[in-house]
Amino acid sequence: MRPSQTSAAKRIVEYEPAIVPIRFLVYDSVVVLSGVTTVLPTLAEQFDNIFPRIAGSLKDAGSSWEKVARVSFYLHRSQTLENLKTLFARHVTAQVPQLEYCFVDGYSSEGKFCEVEVTATA
């Protein structure tokens, strides 16, 4: 990726306390959020936790759901795409130009059903 200006700086924001991966990166006018996931009993409960955190990161990065260009979902094979789409629509009313779905077999911790990555503009 090349910035629009050679003087463009990267702004890297860590979680508090710092963990791997970073919370988000702002480079030029692009905002990239690291994948957000959690362990809770159901996908609905996980989304109730994940989407407010994403909204907070977007706000802190100078963006919003209205500026999101792509959302990538990494969905555990035990879950359905139809349920994911229904739950996503409950949390996000903005029109996102690109939604990407991929099924996965597992995560770093048992009980994670989805990881959500977001790319937006600042």
Side-chain angles (χ1 to χ4, degrees):
M1 183 174 147
R2 293 181 187 205
S4 61
Q5 302 173 25
T6 56
S7 62
K10 291 181 186 178
R11 178 177 162 225
I12 298 171
V13 177
E14 302 277 352
Y15 283 101
E16 295 279 337
I19 60 170
V20 173
I22 63 169
R23 185 171 165 216
F24 63 83
L25 163 75
V26 180
Y27 188 49
D28 205 2
S29 63
V30 178
V31 177
V32 180
L33 276 59
S34 295
V36 181
T37 189
T38 191
V39 176
L40 290 167
T42 67
L43 184 61
E45 290 172 287
Q46 289 182 18
F47 275 20
D48 288 345
N49 175 278
I50 290 169
F51 284 100
R53 291 168 43 210
I54 290 173
S57 291
L58 287 168
K59 182 179 178 185
D60 291 348
S63 191
S64 67
W65 277 108
E66 288 70 30
K67 295 180 179 181
V68 169
R70 179 178 59 204
V71 179
S72 300
F73 299 93
Y74 299 91
L75 185 64
H76 192 273
R77 289 190 190 283
S78 66
Q79 305 300 302
T80 67
L81 189 55
E82 294 76 22
N83 188 37
L84 179 147
K85 289 178 179 181
T86 299
L87 294 171
F88 178 66
R90 290 183 190 163
H91 288 276
V92 177
T93 57
Q95 294 298 312
V96 177
Q98 185 178 8
L99 301 173
E100 175 181 68
Y101 310 97
C102 180
F103 284 99
V104 297
D105 293 319
Y107 294 97
S108 58
S109 298
E110 188 72 27
K112 291 182 181 180
F113 296 129
C114 191
E115 181 175 324
V116 182
E117 294 178 358
V118 175
T119 304
T121 58

